[in-house]
mmCIF file of all heavy atoms in Angstrom:
data_model
loop_
_atom_site.group_PDB
_atom_site.id
_atom_site.type_symbol
_atom_site.label_atom_id
_atom_site.label_comp_id
_atom_site.label_asym_id
_atom_site.label_seq_id
_atom_site.Cartn_x
_atom_site.Cartn_y
_atom_site.Cartn_z
ATOM 1 N N PRO A 1 -49.272 0.501 127.172
ATOM 2 C CA PRO A 1 -50.567 0.135 127.743
ATOM 3 C C PRO A 1 -51.614 -0.023 126.649
ATOM 4 O O PRO A 1 -51.620 0.725 125.671
ATOM 5 C CB PRO A 1 -50.896 1.326 128.657
ATOM 6 C CG PRO A 1 -49.566 1.958 128.954
ATOM 7 C CD PRO A 1 -48.754 1.763 127.719
ATOM 8 N N ALA A 2 -52.513 -0.980 126.819
ATOM 9 C CA ALA A 2 -53.518 -1.278 125.795
ATOM 10 C C ALA A 2 -54.675 -0.281 125.858
ATOM 11 O O ALA A 2 -55.827 -0.636 126.111
ATOM 12 C CB ALA A 2 -54.022 -2.704 125.967
ATOM 13 N N ILE A 3 -54.347 0.983 125.609
ATOM 14 C CA ILE A 3 -55.326 2.067 125.575
ATOM 15 C C ILE A 3 -55.382 2.573 124.140
ATOM 16 O O ILE A 3 -54.364 3.017 123.592
ATOM 17 C CB ILE A 3 -54.930 3.210 126.530
ATOM 18 C CG1 ILE A 3 -54.762 2.664 127.957
ATOM 19 C CG2 ILE A 3 -55.962 4.331 126.499
ATOM 20 C CD1 ILE A 3 -54.198 3.677 128.928
ATOM 21 N N TYR A 4 -56.556 2.524 123.530
ATOM 22 C CA TYR A 4 -56.688 2.787 122.098
ATOM 23 C C TYR A 4 -57.320 4.153 121.841
ATOM 24 O O TYR A 4 -58.138 4.646 122.631
ATOM 25 C CB TYR A 4 -57.516 1.689 121.435
ATOM 26 C CG TYR A 4 -56.829 0.342 121.469
ATOM 27 C CD1 TYR A 4 -56.952 -0.490 122.585
ATOM 28 C CD2 TYR A 4 -56.038 -0.086 120.411
ATOM 29 C CE1 TYR A 4 -56.309 -1.725 122.625
ATOM 30 C CE2 TYR A 4 -55.399 -1.317 120.442
ATOM 31 C CZ TYR A 4 -55.533 -2.131 121.546
ATOM 32 O OH TYR A 4 -54.899 -3.343 121.596
ATOM 33 N N ASP A 5 -56.926 4.764 120.708
ATOM 34 C CA ASP A 5 -57.502 6.041 120.317
ATOM 35 C C ASP A 5 -58.720 5.808 119.405
ATOM 36 O O ASP A 5 -59.160 4.679 119.210
ATOM 37 C CB ASP A 5 -56.453 6.933 119.635
ATOM 38 C CG ASP A 5 -55.867 6.295 118.375
ATOM 39 O OD1 ASP A 5 -56.514 5.389 117.789
ATOM 40 O OD2 ASP A 5 -54.756 6.704 117.959
ATOM 41 N N GLN A 6 -59.238 6.895 118.836
ATOM 42 C CA GLN A 6 -60.439 6.793 118.010
ATOM 43 C C GLN A 6 -60.208 6.020 116.718
ATOM 44 O O GLN A 6 -61.155 5.552 116.084
ATOM 45 C CB GLN A 6 -60.965 8.189 117.696
ATOM 46 C CG GLN A 6 -61.455 8.938 118.936
ATOM 47 C CD GLN A 6 -61.927 10.339 118.618
ATOM 48 O OE1 GLN A 6 -61.658 10.863 117.536
ATOM 49 N NE2 GLN A 6 -62.638 10.949 119.556
ATOM 50 N N ARG A 7 -58.949 5.882 116.321
ATOM 51 C CA ARG A 7 -58.629 5.115 115.114
ATOM 52 C C ARG A 7 -58.325 3.658 115.437
ATOM 53 O O ARG A 7 -57.818 2.918 114.601
ATOM 54 C CB ARG A 7 -57.438 5.757 114.394
ATOM 55 C CG ARG A 7 -57.705 7.171 113.883
ATOM 56 C CD ARG A 7 -56.455 7.769 113.280
ATOM 57 N NE ARG A 7 -55.391 7.904 114.280
ATOM 58 C CZ ARG A 7 -54.135 8.253 114.001
ATOM 59 N NH1 ARG A 7 -53.788 8.468 112.736
ATOM 60 N NH2 ARG A 7 -53.249 8.384 114.959
ATOM 61 N N ASP A 8 -58.605 3.275 116.688
ATOM 62 C CA ASP A 8 -58.369 1.905 117.152
ATOM 63 C C ASP A 8 -56.890 1.551 117.123
ATOM 64 O O ASP A 8 -56.513 0.400 116.874
ATOM 65 C CB ASP A 8 -59.172 0.902 116.320
ATOM 66 C CG ASP A 8 -59.395 -0.415 117.074
ATOM 67 O OD1 ASP A 8 -59.463 -0.374 118.316
ATOM 68 O OD2 ASP A 8 -59.473 -1.464 116.424
ATOM 69 N N GLN A 9 -56.049 2.551 117.373
ATOM 70 C CA GLN A 9 -54.613 2.329 117.503
ATOM 71 C C GLN A 9 -54.190 2.626 118.939
ATOM 72 O O GLN A 9 -54.811 3.450 119.615
ATOM 73 C CB GLN A 9 -53.842 3.240 116.533
ATOM 74 C CG GLN A 9 -54.103 2.938 115.067
ATOM 75 C CD GLN A 9 -53.346 3.868 114.147
ATOM 76 O OE1 GLN A 9 -52.868 4.922 114.553
ATOM 77 N NE2 GLN A 9 -53.232 3.487 112.891
ATOM 78 N N ILE A 10 -53.147 1.926 119.395
ATOM 79 C CA ILE A 10 -52.666 2.163 120.751
ATOM 80 C C ILE A 10 -52.169 3.603 120.864
ATOM 81 O O ILE A 10 -51.397 4.075 120.039
ATOM 82 C CB ILE A 10 -51.557 1.170 121.111
ATOM 83 C CG1 ILE A 10 -52.120 -0.256 121.091
ATOM 84 C CG2 ILE A 10 -50.990 1.467 122.494
ATOM 85 C CD1 ILE A 10 -51.100 -1.320 121.377
ATOM 86 N N ARG A 11 -52.644 4.306 121.877
ATOM 87 C CA ARG A 11 -52.407 5.742 121.992
ATOM 88 C C ARG A 11 -50.935 6.090 122.163
ATOM 89 O O ARG A 11 -50.425 7.015 121.543
ATOM 90 C CB ARG A 11 -53.216 6.294 123.177
ATOM 91 C CG ARG A 11 -53.234 7.815 123.260
ATOM 92 C CD ARG A 11 -54.202 8.265 124.324
ATOM 93 N NE ARG A 11 -53.760 7.908 125.664
ATOM 94 C CZ ARG A 11 -54.447 8.168 126.772
ATOM 95 N NH1 ARG A 11 -55.631 8.742 126.684
ATOM 96 N NH2 ARG A 11 -53.990 7.830 127.961
ATOM 97 N N ASN A 12 -50.246 5.357 123.008
ATOM 98 C CA ASN A 12 -48.830 5.634 123.282
ATOM 99 C C ASN A 12 -48.039 4.333 123.253
ATOM 100 O O ASN A 12 -48.452 3.332 123.853
ATOM 101 C CB ASN A 12 -48.653 6.309 124.642
ATOM 102 C CG ASN A 12 -49.207 7.723 124.672
ATOM 103 O OD1 ASN A 12 -48.881 8.539 123.810
ATOM 104 N ND2 ASN A 12 -50.047 8.022 125.651
ATOM 105 N N MET A 13 -46.914 4.368 122.554
ATOM 106 C CA MET A 13 -46.038 3.201 122.452
ATOM 107 C C MET A 13 -44.612 3.602 122.805
ATOM 108 O O MET A 13 -44.196 4.747 122.582
ATOM 109 C CB MET A 13 -46.067 2.628 121.033
ATOM 110 C CG MET A 13 -47.428 2.117 120.588
ATOM 111 S SD MET A 13 -47.886 0.576 121.408
ATOM 112 C CE MET A 13 -46.887 -0.605 120.491
ATOM 113 N N TRP A 14 -43.878 2.651 123.340
ATOM 114 C CA TRP A 14 -42.488 2.869 123.716
ATOM 115 C C TRP A 14 -41.591 1.873 122.985
ATOM 116 O O TRP A 14 -41.946 0.695 122.853
ATOM 117 C CB TRP A 14 -42.300 2.670 125.225
ATOM 118 C CG TRP A 14 -42.762 3.817 126.068
ATOM 119 C CD1 TRP A 14 -41.984 4.748 126.695
ATOM 120 C CD2 TRP A 14 -44.117 4.143 126.422
ATOM 121 N NE1 TRP A 14 -42.764 5.635 127.393
ATOM 122 C CE2 TRP A 14 -44.080 5.292 127.239
ATOM 123 C CE3 TRP A 14 -45.353 3.590 126.107
ATOM 124 C CZ2 TRP A 14 -45.230 5.889 127.751
ATOM 125 C CZ3 TRP A 14 -46.504 4.185 126.611
ATOM 126 C CH2 TRP A 14 -46.431 5.319 127.417
ATOM 127 N N ASP A 15 -40.440 2.330 122.511
ATOM 128 C CA ASP A 15 -39.397 1.441 122.025
ATOM 129 C C ASP A 15 -38.679 0.892 123.250
ATOM 130 O O ASP A 15 -37.997 1.630 123.979
ATOM 131 C CB ASP A 15 -38.415 2.193 121.113
ATOM 132 C CG ASP A 15 -39.041 2.534 119.775
ATOM 133 O OD1 ASP A 15 -39.852 1.747 119.274
ATOM 134 O OD2 ASP A 15 -38.713 3.613 119.228
ATOM 135 N N MET A 16 -38.837 -0.429 123.488
ATOM 136 C CA MET A 16 -38.389 -1.052 124.727
ATOM 137 C C MET A 16 -37.153 -1.913 124.508
ATOM 138 O O MET A 16 -36.972 -2.498 123.438
ATOM 139 C CB MET A 16 -39.503 -1.943 125.284
ATOM 140 C CG MET A 16 -40.797 -1.230 125.625
ATOM 141 S SD MET A 16 -40.681 -0.274 127.141
ATOM 142 C CE MET A 16 -40.414 -1.587 128.340
ATOM 143 N N ARG A 17 -36.356 -1.999 125.519
ATOM 144 C CA ARG A 17 -35.258 -2.963 125.556
ATOM 145 C C ARG A 17 -35.099 -3.435 126.993
ATOM 146 O O ARG A 17 -35.474 -2.733 127.948
ATOM 147 C CB ARG A 17 -33.949 -2.360 125.050
ATOM 148 C CG ARG A 17 -33.517 -1.089 125.764
ATOM 149 C CD ARG A 17 -32.217 -0.562 125.213
ATOM 150 N NE ARG A 17 -31.797 0.653 125.915
ATOM 151 C CZ ARG A 17 -30.562 1.133 125.927
ATOM 152 N NH1 ARG A 17 -29.611 0.470 125.263
ATOM 153 N NH2 ARG A 17 -30.257 2.226 126.571
ATOM 154 N N MET A 18 -34.583 -4.644 127.164
ATOM 155 C CA MET A 18 -34.421 -5.182 128.503
ATOM 156 C C MET A 18 -33.193 -6.061 128.591
ATOM 157 O O MET A 18 -32.691 -6.577 127.584
ATOM 158 C CB MET A 18 -35.659 -5.982 128.925
ATOM 159 C CG MET A 18 -35.985 -7.244 128.141
ATOM 160 S SD MET A 18 -35.047 -8.741 128.644
ATOM 161 C CE MET A 18 -35.576 -8.935 130.341
ATOM 162 N N PHE A 19 -32.698 -6.198 129.816
ATOM 163 C CA PHE A 19 -31.586 -7.100 130.096
ATOM 164 C C PHE A 19 -31.774 -7.639 131.501
ATOM 165 O O PHE A 19 -32.206 -6.923 132.410
ATOM 166 C CB PHE A 19 -30.238 -6.388 130.004
ATOM 167 C CG PHE A 19 -29.080 -7.248 130.433
ATOM 168 C CD1 PHE A 19 -28.618 -8.258 129.609
ATOM 169 C CD2 PHE A 19 -28.477 -7.075 131.673
ATOM 170 C CE1 PHE A 19 -27.569 -9.076 130.005
ATOM 171 C CE2 PHE A 19 -27.432 -7.885 132.076
ATOM 172 C CZ PHE A 19 -26.972 -8.890 131.241
ATOM 173 N N SER A 20 -31.454 -8.910 131.686
ATOM 174 C CA SER A 20 -31.462 -9.483 133.033
ATOM 175 C C SER A 20 -30.303 -10.450 133.185
ATOM 176 O O SER A 20 -29.840 -11.063 132.205
ATOM 177 C CB SER A 20 -32.784 -10.193 133.330
ATOM 178 O OG SER A 20 -32.915 -11.382 132.581
ATOM 179 N N LYS A 21 -29.852 -10.573 134.408
ATOM 180 C CA LYS A 21 -28.783 -11.503 134.758
ATOM 181 C C LYS A 21 -29.221 -12.235 136.014
ATOM 182 O O LYS A 21 -29.456 -11.614 137.055
ATOM 183 C CB LYS A 21 -27.470 -10.755 134.994
ATOM 184 C CG LYS A 21 -26.263 -11.661 135.215
ATOM 185 C CD LYS A 21 -24.994 -10.821 135.303
ATOM 186 C CE LYS A 21 -23.756 -11.696 135.445
ATOM 187 N NZ LYS A 21 -22.511 -10.875 135.489
ATOM 188 N N VAL A 22 -29.360 -13.552 135.904
ATOM 189 C CA VAL A 22 -29.965 -14.363 136.953
ATOM 190 C C VAL A 22 -29.035 -15.500 137.318
ATOM 191 O O VAL A 22 -28.431 -16.130 136.432
ATOM 192 C CB VAL A 22 -31.324 -14.924 136.478
ATOM 193 C CG1 VAL A 22 -31.863 -15.952 137.452
ATOM 194 C CG2 VAL A 22 -32.322 -13.795 136.261
ATOM 195 N N THR A 23 -28.923 -15.771 138.607
ATOM 196 C CA THR A 23 -28.247 -16.978 139.075
ATOM 197 C C THR A 23 -29.312 -17.971 139.508
ATOM 198 O O THR A 23 -30.174 -17.646 140.335
ATOM 199 C CB THR A 23 -27.302 -16.677 140.244
ATOM 200 O OG1 THR A 23 -26.313 -15.724 139.827
ATOM 201 C CG2 THR A 23 -26.601 -17.945 140.708
ATOM 202 N N PHE A 24 -29.251 -19.175 138.931
ATOM 203 C CA PHE A 24 -30.275 -20.201 139.171
ATOM 204 C C PHE A 24 -29.592 -21.483 139.621
ATOM 205 O O PHE A 24 -28.581 -21.902 139.054
ATOM 206 C CB PHE A 24 -31.082 -20.443 137.887
ATOM 207 C CG PHE A 24 -32.279 -21.322 138.079
ATOM 208 C CD1 PHE A 24 -33.471 -20.801 138.565
ATOM 209 C CD2 PHE A 24 -32.216 -22.682 137.779
ATOM 210 C CE1 PHE A 24 -34.579 -21.617 138.738
ATOM 211 C CE2 PHE A 24 -33.324 -23.501 137.953
ATOM 212 C CZ PHE A 24 -34.506 -22.968 138.437
ATOM 213 N N ASP A 25 -30.141 -22.110 140.658
ATOM 214 C CA ASP A 25 -29.611 -23.373 141.185
ATOM 215 C C ASP A 25 -30.397 -24.520 140.562
ATOM 216 O O ASP A 25 -31.579 -24.717 140.856
ATOM 217 C CB ASP A 25 -29.736 -23.409 142.707
ATOM 218 C CG ASP A 25 -28.975 -24.570 143.334
ATOM 219 O OD1 ASP A 25 -29.040 -25.687 142.778
ATOM 220 O OD2 ASP A 25 -28.329 -24.368 144.374
ATOM 221 N N MET A 26 -29.763 -25.278 139.653
ATOM 222 C CA MET A 26 -30.453 -26.350 138.948
ATOM 223 C C MET A 26 -30.774 -27.532 139.860
ATOM 224 O O MET A 26 -31.793 -28.194 139.695
ATOM 225 C CB MET A 26 -29.612 -26.824 137.760
ATOM 226 C CG MET A 26 -29.419 -25.778 136.675
ATOM 227 S SD MET A 26 -28.592 -26.450 135.201
ATOM 228 C CE MET A 26 -26.971 -26.866 135.902
ATOM 229 N N GLU A 27 -29.907 -27.811 140.818
ATOM 230 C CA GLU A 27 -30.150 -28.943 141.715
ATOM 231 C C GLU A 27 -31.376 -28.690 142.591
ATOM 232 O O GLU A 27 -32.231 -29.567 142.762
ATOM 233 C CB GLU A 27 -28.924 -29.194 142.590
ATOM 234 C CG GLU A 27 -29.083 -30.364 143.550
ATOM 235 C CD GLU A 27 -27.839 -30.607 144.384
ATOM 236 O OE1 GLU A 27 -26.773 -30.057 144.059
ATOM 237 O OE2 GLU A 27 -27.953 -31.348 145.375
ATOM 238 N N LYS A 28 -31.485 -27.483 143.130
ATOM 239 C CA LYS A 28 -32.617 -27.149 143.986
ATOM 240 C C LYS A 28 -33.820 -26.650 143.191
ATOM 241 O O LYS A 28 -34.928 -26.580 143.729
ATOM 242 C CB LYS A 28 -32.198 -26.101 145.014
ATOM 243 C CG LYS A 28 -31.125 -26.584 145.979
ATOM 244 C CD LYS A 28 -30.766 -25.482 146.975
ATOM 245 C CE LYS A 28 -29.707 -25.959 147.961
ATOM 246 N NZ LYS A 28 -29.332 -24.881 148.914
ATOM 247 N N GLY A 29 -33.581 -26.286 141.939
ATOM 248 C CA GLY A 29 -34.662 -25.760 141.118
ATOM 249 C C GLY A 29 -35.192 -24.441 141.623
ATOM 250 O O GLY A 29 -36.408 -24.256 141.734
ATOM 251 N N GLU A 30 -34.291 -23.502 141.924
ATOM 252 C CA GLU A 30 -34.732 -22.243 142.517
ATOM 253 C C GLU A 30 -33.838 -21.080 142.108
ATOM 254 O O GLU A 30 -32.675 -21.250 141.739
ATOM 255 C CB GLU A 30 -34.754 -22.348 144.040
ATOM 256 C CG GLU A 30 -33.376 -22.555 144.662
ATOM 257 C CD GLU A 30 -33.426 -22.707 146.181
ATOM 258 O OE1 GLU A 30 -34.527 -22.946 146.710
ATOM 259 O OE2 GLU A 30 -32.366 -22.614 146.818
ATOM 260 N N LEU A 31 -34.402 -19.898 142.191
ATOM 261 C CA LEU A 31 -33.694 -18.650 141.940
ATOM 262 C C LEU A 31 -32.798 -18.323 143.130
ATOM 263 O O LEU A 31 -33.215 -18.449 144.285
ATOM 264 C CB LEU A 31 -34.713 -17.528 141.724
ATOM 265 C CG LEU A 31 -34.190 -16.097 141.648
ATOM 266 C CD1 LEU A 31 -33.377 -15.891 140.387
ATOM 267 C CD2 LEU A 31 -35.353 -15.105 141.692
ATOM 268 N N VAL A 32 -31.581 -17.880 142.847
ATOM 269 C CA VAL A 32 -30.661 -17.446 143.884
ATOM 270 C C VAL A 32 -30.639 -15.919 143.957
ATOM 271 O O VAL A 32 -30.785 -15.324 145.027
ATOM 272 C CB VAL A 32 -29.244 -17.993 143.647
ATOM 273 C CG1 VAL A 32 -28.265 -17.472 144.702
ATOM 274 C CG2 VAL A 32 -29.261 -19.516 143.621
ATOM 275 N N LYS A 33 -30.470 -15.283 142.808
ATOM 276 C CA LYS A 33 -30.520 -13.820 142.758
ATOM 277 C C LYS A 33 -30.770 -13.386 141.319
ATOM 278 O O LYS A 33 -30.543 -14.153 140.372
ATOM 279 C CB LYS A 33 -29.225 -13.187 143.273
ATOM 280 C CG LYS A 33 -27.985 -13.513 142.453
ATOM 281 C CD LYS A 33 -26.757 -12.815 143.039
ATOM 282 C CE LYS A 33 -25.493 -13.139 142.234
ATOM 283 N NZ LYS A 33 -24.301 -12.451 142.790
ATOM 284 N N SER A 34 -31.251 -12.166 141.162
ATOM 285 C CA SER A 34 -31.481 -11.653 139.816
ATOM 286 C C SER A 34 -31.352 -10.141 139.790
ATOM 287 O O SER A 34 -31.588 -9.459 140.789
ATOM 288 C CB SER A 34 -32.871 -12.071 139.305
ATOM 289 O OG SER A 34 -33.895 -11.353 139.963
ATOM 290 N N GLU A 35 -30.952 -9.639 138.632
ATOM 291 C CA GLU A 35 -30.927 -8.210 138.333
ATOM 292 C C GLU A 35 -31.637 -8.037 137.001
ATOM 293 O O GLU A 35 -31.271 -8.683 136.013
ATOM 294 C CB GLU A 35 -29.499 -7.684 138.219
ATOM 295 C CG GLU A 35 -28.662 -7.829 139.466
ATOM 296 C CD GLU A 35 -27.219 -7.417 139.194
ATOM 297 O OE1 GLU A 35 -26.477 -8.276 138.668
ATOM 298 O OE2 GLU A 35 -26.854 -6.273 139.477
ATOM 299 N N MET A 36 -32.642 -7.178 136.980
ATOM 300 C CA MET A 36 -33.412 -6.975 135.762
ATOM 301 C C MET A 36 -33.597 -5.485 135.501
ATOM 302 O O MET A 36 -33.766 -4.694 136.433
ATOM 303 C CB MET A 36 -34.785 -7.636 135.862
ATOM 304 C CG MET A 36 -34.741 -9.139 136.026
ATOM 305 S SD MET A 36 -36.399 -9.877 135.959
ATOM 306 C CE MET A 36 -35.982 -11.614 136.130
ATOM 307 N N LEU A 37 -33.574 -5.137 134.232
ATOM 308 C CA LEU A 37 -33.762 -3.749 133.835
ATOM 309 C C LEU A 37 -34.518 -3.700 132.516
ATOM 310 O O LEU A 37 -34.178 -4.398 131.558
ATOM 311 C CB LEU A 37 -32.411 -3.053 133.651
ATOM 312 C CG LEU A 37 -32.439 -1.639 133.067
ATOM 313 C CD1 LEU A 37 -33.150 -0.668 133.988
ATOM 314 C CD2 LEU A 37 -31.027 -1.157 132.766
ATOM 315 N N ALA A 38 -35.572 -2.903 132.472
ATOM 316 C CA ALA A 38 -36.293 -2.618 131.230
ATOM 317 C C ALA A 38 -36.395 -1.103 131.088
ATOM 318 O O ALA A 38 -36.648 -0.399 132.066
ATOM 319 C CB ALA A 38 -37.679 -3.246 131.238
ATOM 320 N N GLU A 39 -36.199 -0.614 129.866
ATOM 321 C CA GLU A 39 -36.253 0.818 129.623
ATOM 322 C C GLU A 39 -36.953 1.071 128.296
ATOM 323 O O GLU A 39 -36.741 0.345 127.316
ATOM 324 C CB GLU A 39 -34.847 1.417 129.591
ATOM 325 C CG GLU A 39 -34.841 2.934 129.445
ATOM 326 C CD GLU A 39 -33.428 3.506 129.544
ATOM 327 O OE1 GLU A 39 -32.508 2.903 128.959
ATOM 328 O OE2 GLU A 39 -33.246 4.528 130.204
ATOM 329 N N GLY A 40 -37.816 2.076 128.268
ATOM 330 C CA GLY A 40 -38.556 2.398 127.063
ATOM 331 C C GLY A 40 -38.521 3.878 126.746
ATOM 332 O O GLY A 40 -38.624 4.719 127.643
ATOM 333 N N THR A 41 -38.386 4.206 125.457
ATOM 334 C CA THR A 41 -38.410 5.586 124.975
ATOM 335 C C THR A 41 -39.672 5.787 124.150
ATOM 336 O O THR A 41 -39.967 4.982 123.254
ATOM 337 C CB THR A 41 -37.171 5.886 124.120
ATOM 338 O OG1 THR A 41 -35.993 5.613 124.897
ATOM 339 C CG2 THR A 41 -37.156 7.340 123.674
#
């Protein structure tokens, strides 16, 4: 989150990673289903 301390640094940061798997229909131009996951330490 863009919350800064007195030194003008972001107060809390997370090491993030993400993965998603999506099925997309190109003919219809639409999403069919998706699975998404983001995790931060």
Side-chain angles (χ1 to χ4, degrees):
I3 303 172
Y4 294 85
D5 60 21
Q6 295 178 346
R7 297 176 297 172
D8 202 30
Q9 295 179 343
I10 297 178
R11 190 172 68 181
N12 291 308
M13 297 288 283
W14 282 256
D15 288 326
M16 299 285 295
R17 55 180 181 160
M18 64 82 62
F19 174 75
S20 70
K21 186 175 183 178
V22 170
T23 301
F24 189 82
D25 191 318
M26 295 187 295
E27 180 179 346
K28 297 180 179 179
E30 65 182 16
L31 171 68
V32 177
K33 63 179 180 179
S34 72
E35 299 174 278
M36 298 186 178
L37 173 64
E39 184 175 42
T41 303

